[in-house]
């Protein structure tokens, strides 16, 4: 794979992006590490086994589904995509791209992984905060009802 340095692909905030057979790296980003190249190599293998176009179609659909599922938080949706989970969880194993079985990303569709657990904790915290807000609103409503009843008498 050939590394291509530019300021267009990938989007700002990302370091590298694989579009087989190239790995595009942002010029203004930090220095690319071996684990970053390995991460993108895993994506290259995924693209090859899904005939390139199907990879991006599946990626887009899965991102949108997870975007809705995780309350329109784009970063959580991105981290939760099965392709990304496989790449992030195996980027430190430099032999993984060459030893992985075909369609290994499928294991990450429904499997609980570190990334999902971390995301789940974040969502639980948001949910608890929302519930507390509703409890406070409920108490205020009950208080208003009680005051209204006492005014009638």
């Amino acid at each position: 794979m050939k590394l291509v340095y530019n300021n267009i692909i990938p989007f700002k905030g990302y370091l590298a992006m694989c579009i087989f057979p190239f790995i595009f790296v942002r010029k203004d980003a930090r220095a690319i590490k071996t684990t970053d190249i390995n991460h993108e190599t895993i994506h290259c293998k995924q693209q090859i086994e899904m005939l390139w176009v199907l990879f991006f179609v599946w990626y887009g659909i899965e991102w949108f589904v997870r975007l809705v599922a995780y309350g329109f938080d784009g970063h959580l949706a991105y981290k939760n995509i099965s392709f990304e989970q496989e790449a992030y969880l195996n980027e430190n194993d430099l032999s993984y791209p060459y030893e992985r079985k075909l369609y290994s990303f499928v294991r990450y569709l429904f499997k609980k992984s570190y990334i999902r657990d971390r995301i789940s904790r974040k969502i639980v915290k948001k949910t608890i905060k929302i519930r507390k807000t509703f409890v406070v609103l409920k108490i205020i409503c009950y208080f208003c009802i009680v005051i209204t009843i006492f005014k009638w008498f």
Side-chain angles (χ1 to χ4, degrees), residues 45-46 48-50 86 96 99-107:
K45 297 290 184 177
Q46 293 166 342
I48 291 169
E49 69 193 18
M50 291 195 70
E86 180 186 9
Y96 181 78
E99 296 172 352
R100 71 185 284 277
K101 295 177 180 170
L102 287 175
Y103 304 103
S104 293
F105 67 90
V106 173
R107 290 185 292 159

Side-chain angles (χ1 to χ4, degrees), residues 50-69:
M50 291 195 70
L51 304 175
W52 195 74
V53 174
L54 290 175
F55 171 84
F56 290 104
V57 170
W58 184 310
Y59 195 102
I61 291 170
E62 189 174 349
W63 179 82
F64 183 75
V65 168
R66 296 193 188 280
L67 181 70
V68 172

Side-chain angles (χ1 to χ4, degrees), residues 58 62 66 82 85 105-111 116:
W58 184 310
E62 189 174 349
R66 296 193 188 280
S82 58
Q85 286 190 54
F105 67 90
V106 173
R107 290 185 292 159
Y108 298 92
L109 279 171
F110 305 107
K111 182 180 175 186
R116 288 189 190 201

